[in-house]
Amino acid sequence: MSFAQLVYLAVAASSVVLIVGTVHTRRAAPSPRTVLVDVPSHDLWENAFLAGGPGRVADAAIAGMHSDGRLVIGGPGTVTARRPAVSHDPVESAVLEALARTPGGSLARLRPVIMRSAAVQQIGDRLADRGLLRRPEAGRPWRQLARLQIGACMGIFFLGIFQSVTGGLDDGAPQYPQNMPFVLKVTPAVFAGIFIGTLCRNAVRRRITKEGKRVLKRFRTANKAAAAGPAGQPAALAVAVGGAALLVDQVLREYLQEAQRAASGAGAAAVASAGAGPGGGWSTGWRRGRPVVRLLRGRVGLRRLLVRWFRGLVVR
């Protein structure tokens, strides 16, 4: 058996195992630790967490406290608290505590600290206890296998390119067609392996359950006006429902979106390596929507999208 045939066999076997494990993880309903009651959740922070994870909670809290004057955001994205600093719930207290621990009050640095705070992390724990979210550790072996498959396929591809240039790899099989480079032989298997690995990794990383989607849908239906983003809606509610893009305040919207880009770019690895807060790492692994949809809507350029995708193959 030639080396190219071994590559096809290994990719096929790994992909089958990965698909089976991903489907099982997605279909397995998490066992709630508390009895679910069929009453829609009206908690702003819980629904923000369901919609976009701890990052959405942080954005909503910052927007709400800025809109009522408790926070002031100036250029370039510097956050300060007006005295006396007042908080109305644990999440807002976490914002003020994070601000006190963030040198310079940079929004890009403040946001990850809020995300990892105990008050925000405990929201994810409560939602997981009620069966509305899958815990971060659910599906972890399949995420690791997906990363391994993607990395191995990329390594084989670059190895094939190296062999094509130097002729340093003897495949051990007759060349068909004549003098066909090794990299062309394994390209279908390599790209199939990367594609399947990326799909399965992203599928396992989706943490909201079917029940969680129903709860979030009811909340959004009850707050359709906020989803439309009119000027009269509370900023925290608008962000919780639809993200920072719905903010009427253009300056605040741009600052929050810049902080999000910083977190999804070079800062993403720092957030992950800094360690998660109590409750098992809710601060990492949240997706910001489908990349192709965001590209078509003009929210991200093609070059930036490709850079993020390639970085995600290696980091995530």
Side-chain angles (χ1 to χ4, degrees):
M1 182 179 290
S2 67
F3 184 68
Q5 292 172 327
L6 287 175
V7 170
Y8 276 87
L9 181 61
V11 171
S14 176
S15 297
V16 169
V17 173
L18 185 57
I19 291 173
V20 172
T22 300
V23 171
H24 178 268
T25 300
R26 292 286 298 166
R27 289 185 176 180
S31 301
R33 298 180 183 178
T34 59
V35 178
L36 283 173
V37 180
D38 192 19
V39 177
S41 174
H42 297 287
D43 184 84
L44 177 67
W45 308 128
E46 287 188 356
N47 284 279
F49 204 107
L50 288 173
R56 183 69 64 85
V57 176
D59 292 342
I62 292 171
M65 297 178 72
H66 175 266
S67 64
D68 62 19
R70 285 178 289 166
L71 293 182
V72 178
I73 302 179
T78 302
V79 184
T80 56
R82 288 183 175 175
R83 303 296 179 182
V86 178
S87 62
H88 300 143
D89 55 57
V91 172
E92 293 184 349
S93 297
V95 173
L96 296 177
E97 292 173 3
L99 183 58
R101 300 198 309 267
T102 304
S106 170
L107 183 57
R109 295 181 179 181
L110 175 66
R111 187 173 180 268
V113 177
I114 300 172
M115 291 168 59
R116 296 194 300 268
S117 66
V120 175
Q121 295 288 307
Q122 287 168 4
I123 296 173
D125 291 337
R126 293 198 301 269
L127 293 171
D129 288 342
R130 292 159 54 193
L132 304 180
L133 287 179
R134 295 180 181 87
R135 292 189 175 275
E137 58 270 19
R140 182 173 296 166
W142 309 116
R143 290 197 299 272
Q144 294 173 345
L145 178 59
R147 287 195 298 267
L148 178 62
Q149 176 169 309
I150 294 170
C153 288
M154 293 176 65
I156 292 172
F157 182 73
F158 288 117
L159 178 64
I161 294 177
F162 176 78
Q163 183 273 339
S164 299
V165 174
T166 64
L169 179 63
D170 183 9
D171 187 32
Q175 301 291 334
Y176 182 80
Q178 187 176 6
N179 298 325
M180 182 179 184
F182 171 76
V183 66
L184 295 183
K185 290 183 179 181
V186 299
T187 293
V190 164
F191 280 90
I194 292 175
F195 179 74
I196 293 173
T198 302
L199 284 182
C200 292
R201 182 199 62 187
N202 292 340
V204 173
R205 286 172 54 205
R206 297 189 188 103
R207 294 178 180 168
I208 188 169
T209 64
K210 291 183 179 180
E211 182 61 31
K213 290 179 181 179
R214 285 194 287 266
V215 170
L216 182 59
K217 183 178 180 180
R218 288 197 293 263
F219 180 79
R220 284 175 169 167
T221 302
N223 295 277
K224 286 184 178 179
Q233 292 298 323
L237 179 60
V239 174
V241 171
L246 296 185
L247 283 172
V248 177
D249 188 332
Q250 181 179 355
V251 175
L252 177 60
R253 181 173 68 247
E254 291 177 353
Y255 282 144
L256 285 175
Q257 291 175 340
E258 181 63 31
Q260 293 170 2
R261 288 191 290 268
S264 62
V271 172
S273 62
W282 293 103
S283 296
T284 58
W286 287 85
R287 304 180 68 205
R288 292 182 55 204
R290 297 175 182 176
V292 176
V293 175
R294 297 180 65 237
L295 174 64
L296 295 176
R297 291 179 178 177
R299 296 182 182 177
V300 62
L302 178 60
R303 178 176 174 274
R304 180 175 292 173
L305 179 64
L306 292 175
V307 170
R308 290 181 183 175
W309 177 80
F310 182 79
R311 184 185 292 117
L313 294 182
V314 179
V315 176
R316 299 177 187 174

mmCIF file of all heavy atoms in Angstrom, residues 108-109 111-113 115-116 258-275 283-285 308 311 315-316:
data_model
loop_
_atom_site.group_PDB
_atom_site.id
_atom_site.type_symbol
_atom_site.label_atom_id
_atom_site.label_comp_id
_atom_site.label_asym_id
_atom_site.label_seq_id
_atom_site.Cartn_x
_atom_site.Cartn_y
_atom_site.Cartn_z
ATOM 1 N N ALA A 108 -10.808 47.411 25.142
ATOM 2 C CA ALA A 108 -10.343 46.131 24.614
ATOM 3 C C ALA A 108 -9.803 45.222 25.715
ATOM 4 O O ALA A 108 -9.907 43.996 25.623
ATOM 5 C CB ALA A 108 -9.275 46.360 23.548
ATOM 6 N N ARG A 109 -9.231 45.799 26.776
ATOM 7 C CA ARG A 109 -8.747 45.000 27.900
ATOM 8 C C ARG A 109 -9.837 44.770 28.944
ATOM 9 O O ARG A 109 -9.836 43.742 29.625
ATOM 10 C CB ARG A 109 -7.561 45.695 28.557
ATOM 11 C CG ARG A 109 -6.337 45.813 27.668
ATOM 12 C CD ARG A 109 -5.195 46.479 28.402
ATOM 13 N NE ARG A 109 -3.998 46.582 27.568
ATOM 14 C CZ ARG A 109 -2.855 47.112 27.974
ATOM 15 N NH1 ARG A 109 -2.746 47.584 29.214
ATOM 16 N NH2 ARG A 109 -1.815 47.168 27.155
ATOM 17 N N ARG A 111 -13.122 44.387 28.467
ATOM 18 C CA ARG A 111 -14.145 43.430 28.036
ATOM 19 C C ARG A 111 -13.795 41.984 28.404
ATOM 20 O O ARG A 111 -14.634 41.275 28.975
ATOM 21 C CB ARG A 111 -14.376 43.577 26.535
ATOM 22 C CG ARG A 111 -15.528 42.767 25.975
ATOM 23 C CD ARG A 111 -15.760 43.127 24.510
ATOM 24 N NE ARG A 111 -16.854 42.367 23.933
ATOM 25 C CZ ARG A 111 -16.689 41.205 23.303
ATOM 26 N NH1 ARG A 111 -15.470 40.685 23.180
ATOM 27 N NH2 ARG A 111 -17.732 40.566 22.806
ATOM 28 N N PRO A 112 -12.571 41.486 28.129
ATOM 29 C CA PRO A 112 -12.259 40.100 28.527
ATOM 30 C C PRO A 112 -12.276 39.885 30.032
ATOM 31 O O PRO A 112 -12.626 38.791 30.495
ATOM 32 C CB PRO A 112 -10.848 39.865 27.954
ATOM 33 C CG PRO A 112 -10.653 40.904 26.928
ATOM 34 C CD PRO A 112 -11.467 42.074 27.341
ATOM 35 N N VAL A 113 -11.895 40.921 30.798
ATOM 36 C CA VAL A 113 -11.916 40.778 32.258
ATOM 37 C C VAL A 113 -13.346 40.605 32.749
ATOM 38 O O VAL A 113 -13.629 39.791 33.639
ATOM 39 C CB VAL A 113 -11.244 41.998 32.920
ATOM 40 C CG1 VAL A 113 -11.330 41.898 34.442
ATOM 41 C CG2 VAL A 113 -9.787 42.100 32.485
ATOM 42 N N MET A 115 -15.798 39.371 30.985
ATOM 43 C CA MET A 115 -16.244 38.061 30.513
ATOM 44 C C MET A 115 -15.809 36.948 31.461
ATOM 45 O O MET A 115 -16.548 35.984 31.681
ATOM 46 C CB MET A 115 -15.691 37.798 29.111
ATOM 47 C CG MET A 115 -16.286 38.672 28.031
ATOM 48 S SD MET A 115 -15.360 38.581 26.473
ATOM 49 C CE MET A 115 -15.460 36.836 26.102
ATOM 50 N N ARG A 116 -14.620 37.066 32.043
ATOM 51 C CA ARG A 116 -14.104 36.015 32.918
ATOM 52 C C ARG A 116 -14.496 36.202 34.377
ATOM 53 O O ARG A 116 -14.120 35.394 35.224
ATOM 54 C CB ARG A 116 -12.569 35.964 32.815
ATOM 55 C CG ARG A 116 -12.040 35.591 31.452
ATOM 56 C CD ARG A 116 -10.557 35.236 31.515
ATOM 57 N NE ARG A 116 -9.750 36.336 32.010
ATOM 58 C CZ ARG A 116 -9.163 37.249 31.246
ATOM 59 N NH1 ARG A 116 -9.328 37.201 29.937
ATOM 60 N NH2 ARG A 116 -8.426 38.207 31.774
ATOM 61 N N GLU A 258 -14.848 47.390 17.763
ATOM 62 C CA GLU A 258 -13.381 47.337 17.718
ATOM 63 C C GLU A 258 -12.846 46.428 18.817
ATOM 64 O O GLU A 258 -11.898 45.656 18.599
ATOM 65 C CB GLU A 258 -12.809 48.743 17.866
ATOM 66 C CG GLU A 258 -11.289 48.792 17.804
ATOM 67 C CD GLU A 258 -10.741 48.334 16.470
ATOM 68 O OE1 GLU A 258 -11.436 48.527 15.442
ATOM 69 O OE2 GLU A 258 -9.637 47.765 16.457
ATOM 70 N N ALA A 259 -13.458 46.486 20.007
ATOM 71 C CA ALA A 259 -13.049 45.592 21.091
ATOM 72 C C ALA A 259 -13.336 44.134 20.738
ATOM 73 O O ALA A 259 -12.552 43.236 21.073
ATOM 74 C CB ALA A 259 -13.768 45.984 22.385
ATOM 75 N N GLN A 260 -14.450 43.873 20.048
ATOM 76 C CA GLN A 260 -14.752 42.515 19.612
ATOM 77 C C GLN A 260 -13.730 42.016 18.603
ATOM 78 O O GLN A 260 -13.292 40.862 18.659
ATOM 79 C CB GLN A 260 -16.158 42.474 19.003
ATOM 80 C CG GLN A 260 -17.275 42.725 19.994
ATOM 81 C CD GLN A 260 -18.615 42.920 19.319
ATOM 82 O OE1 GLN A 260 -18.729 42.825 18.093
ATOM 83 N NE2 GLN A 260 -19.643 43.205 20.111
ATOM 84 N N ARG A 261 -13.350 42.888 17.680
ATOM 85 C CA ARG A 261 -12.346 42.486 16.690
ATOM 86 C C ARG A 261 -11.001 42.203 17.356
ATOM 87 O O ARG A 261 -10.294 41.277 16.965
ATOM 88 C CB ARG A 261 -12.198 43.569 15.617
ATOM 89 C CG ARG A 261 -13.384 43.656 14.666
ATOM 90 C CD ARG A 261 -13.061 44.554 13.492
ATOM 91 N NE ARG A 261 -12.971 45.950 13.879
ATOM 92 C CZ ARG A 261 -13.987 46.804 13.842
ATOM 93 N NH1 ARG A 261 -15.179 46.379 13.447
ATOM 94 N NH2 ARG A 261 -13.838 48.054 14.190
ATOM 95 N N ALA A 262 -10.668 43.006 18.345
ATOM 96 C CA ALA A 262 -9.409 42.773 19.056
ATOM 97 C C ALA A 262 -9.432 41.427 19.773
ATOM 98 O O ALA A 262 -8.430 40.703 19.811
ATOM 99 C CB ALA A 262 -9.158 43.904 20.055
ATOM 100 N N ALA A 263 -10.598 41.075 20.342
ATOM 101 C CA ALA A 263 -10.710 39.797 21.058
ATOM 102 C C ALA A 263 -10.661 38.616 20.107
ATOM 103 O O ALA A 263 -10.082 37.575 20.418
ATOM 104 C CB ALA A 263 -12.002 39.764 21.869
ATOM 105 N N SER A 264 -11.278 38.745 18.914
ATOM 106 C CA SER A 264 -11.297 37.644 17.962
ATOM 107 C C SER A 264 -10.010 37.551 17.169
ATOM 108 O O SER A 264 -9.761 36.555 16.494
ATOM 109 C CB SER A 264 -12.466 37.800 16.988
ATOM 110 O OG SER A 264 -12.320 39.002 16.243
ATOM 111 N N GLY A 265 -9.174 38.586 17.254
ATOM 112 C CA GLY A 265 -7.906 38.573 16.548
ATOM 113 C C GLY A 265 -6.787 38.118 17.438
ATOM 114 O O GLY A 265 -6.800 37.039 18.019
ATOM 115 N N ALA A 266 -5.791 38.977 17.579
ATOM 116 C CA ALA A 266 -4.606 38.592 18.345
ATOM 117 C C ALA A 266 -4.923 38.371 19.808
ATOM 118 O O ALA A 266 -4.242 37.609 20.487
ATOM 119 C CB ALA A 266 -3.528 39.667 18.211
ATOM 120 N N GLY A 267 -5.984 39.029 20.331
ATOM 121 C CA GLY A 267 -6.305 38.880 21.740
ATOM 122 C C GLY A 267 -7.007 37.593 22.073
ATOM 123 O O GLY A 267 -7.153 37.261 23.245
ATOM 124 N N ALA A 268 -7.475 36.832 21.085
ATOM 125 C CA ALA A 268 -8.223 35.613 21.376
ATOM 126 C C ALA A 268 -7.372 34.591 22.099
ATOM 127 O O ALA A 268 -7.815 33.932 23.036
ATOM 128 C CB ALA A 268 -8.762 35.015 20.074
ATOM 129 N N ALA A 269 -6.123 34.443 21.643
ATOM 130 C CA ALA A 269 -5.252 33.474 22.309
ATOM 131 C C ALA A 269 -4.940 33.906 23.734
ATOM 132 O O ALA A 269 -4.837 33.067 24.632
ATOM 133 C CB ALA A 269 -3.943 33.327 21.518
ATOM 134 N N ALA A 270 -4.813 35.221 23.953
ATOM 135 C CA ALA A 270 -4.526 35.693 25.306
ATOM 136 C C ALA A 270 -5.684 35.434 26.236
ATOM 137 O O ALA A 270 -5.507 35.053 27.393
ATOM 138 C CB ALA A 270 -4.205 37.186 25.266
ATOM 139 N N VAL A 271 -6.913 35.590 25.733
ATOM 140 C CA VAL A 271 -8.091 35.320 26.547
ATOM 141 C C VAL A 271 -8.151 33.861 26.920
ATOM 142 O O VAL A 271 -8.442 33.479 28.058
ATOM 143 C CB VAL A 271 -9.369 35.738 25.810
ATOM 144 C CG1 VAL A 271 -10.604 35.294 26.562
ATOM 145 C CG2 VAL A 271 -9.398 37.245 25.607
ATOM 146 N N ALA A 272 -7.840 32.997 25.949
ATOM 147 C CA ALA A 272 -7.908 31.564 26.214
ATOM 148 C C ALA A 272 -6.820 31.119 27.175
ATOM 149 O O ALA A 272 -7.052 30.303 28.059
ATOM 150 C CB ALA A 272 -7.788 30.795 24.896
ATOM 151 N N SER A 273 -5.595 31.662 26.984
ATOM 152 C CA SER A 273 -4.500 31.218 27.826
ATOM 153 C C SER A 273 -4.546 31.819 29.215
ATOM 154 O O SER A 273 -3.940 31.289 30.143
ATOM 155 C CB SER A 273 -3.161 31.601 27.170
ATOM 156 O OG SER A 273 -3.062 33.008 27.044
ATOM 157 N N ALA A 274 -5.304 32.919 29.376
ATOM 158 C CA ALA A 274 -5.381 33.551 30.680
ATOM 159 C C ALA A 274 -6.185 32.729 31.658
ATOM 160 O O ALA A 274 -6.179 32.975 32.854
ATOM 161 C CB ALA A 274 -5.982 34.950 30.549
ATOM 162 N N GLY A 275 -6.909 31.750 31.108
ATOM 163 C CA GLY A 275 -7.678 30.897 32.005
ATOM 164 C C GLY A 275 -9.087 31.391 32.134
ATOM 165 O O GLY A 275 -9.361 32.565 32.086
ATOM 166 N N SER A 283 -15.711 31.676 28.719
ATOM 167 C CA SER A 283 -15.246 32.862 28.002
ATOM 168 C C SER A 283 -14.692 32.564 26.625
ATOM 169 O O SER A 283 -14.470 33.486 25.855
ATOM 170 C CB SER A 283 -14.155 33.583 28.820
ATOM 171 O OG SER A 283 -14.685 34.054 30.032
ATOM 172 N N THR A 284 -14.440 31.315 26.292
ATOM 173 C CA THR A 284 -13.863 30.991 24.999
ATOM 174 C C THR A 284 -14.792 30.080 24.225
ATOM 175 O O THR A 284 -15.634 29.380 24.777
ATOM 176 C CB THR A 284 -12.513 30.289 25.166
ATOM 177 O OG1 THR A 284 -12.695 29.095 25.950
ATOM 178 C CG2 THR A 284 -11.517 31.186 25.873
ATOM 179 N N GLY A 285 -14.590 30.086 22.900
ATOM 180 C CA GLY A 285 -15.287 29.134 22.050
ATOM 181 C C GLY A 285 -16.621 29.597 21.514
ATOM 182 O O GLY A 285 -17.296 28.837 20.838
ATOM 183 N N ARG A 308 -8.818 35.141 9.772
ATOM 184 C CA ARG A 308 -9.430 34.607 10.988
ATOM 185 C C ARG A 308 -9.652 33.112 10.875
ATOM 186 O O ARG A 308 -9.460 32.357 11.831
ATOM 187 C CB ARG A 308 -10.763 35.307 11.258
ATOM 188 C CG ARG A 308 -10.609 36.763 11.687
ATOM 189 C CD ARG A 308 -11.977 37.353 11.939
ATOM 190 N NE ARG A 308 -11.882 38.760 12.292
ATOM 191 C CZ ARG A 308 -12.933 39.551 12.465
ATOM 192 N NH1 ARG A 308 -14.154 39.048 12.324
ATOM 193 N NH2 ARG A 308 -12.780 40.810 12.782
ATOM 194 N N ARG A 311 -6.289 31.365 11.257
ATOM 195 C CA ARG A 311 -5.859 31.434 12.658
ATOM 196 C C ARG A 311 -6.684 30.493 13.530
ATOM 197 O O ARG A 311 -6.173 29.869 14.452
ATOM 198 C CB ARG A 311 -5.973 32.865 13.183
ATOM 199 C CG ARG A 311 -5.453 33.025 14.609
ATOM 200 C CD ARG A 311 -5.688 34.425 15.129
ATOM 201 N NE ARG A 311 -4.876 35.401 14.434
ATOM 202 C CZ ARG A 311 -5.372 36.388 13.700
ATOM 203 N NH1 ARG A 311 -6.672 36.502 13.545
ATOM 204 N NH2 ARG A 311 -4.559 37.240 13.103
ATOM 205 N N VAL A 315 -5.312 27.962 16.342
ATOM 206 C CA VAL A 315 -5.462 28.355 17.746
ATOM 207 C C VAL A 315 -6.583 27.606 18.413
ATOM 208 O O VAL A 315 -6.470 27.138 19.523
ATOM 209 C CB VAL A 315 -5.663 29.872 17.831
ATOM 210 C CG1 VAL A 315 -5.931 30.289 19.276
ATOM 211 C CG2 VAL A 315 -4.465 30.603 17.279
ATOM 212 N N ARG A 316 -7.724 27.493 17.768
ATOM 213 C CA ARG A 316 -8.909 26.978 18.421
ATOM 214 C C ARG A 316 -8.919 25.461 18.441
ATOM 215 O O ARG A 316 -9.676 24.863 19.116
ATOM 216 C CB ARG A 316 -10.163 27.512 17.732
ATOM 217 C CG ARG A 316 -10.269 29.026 17.785
ATOM 218 C CD ARG A 316 -11.467 29.506 17.028
ATOM 219 N NE ARG A 316 -11.520 30.936 16.913
ATOM 220 C CZ ARG A 316 -12.407 31.584 16.201
ATOM 221 N NH1 ARG A 316 -13.343 30.949 15.542
ATOM 222 N NH2 ARG A 316 -12.401 32.898 16.131
#
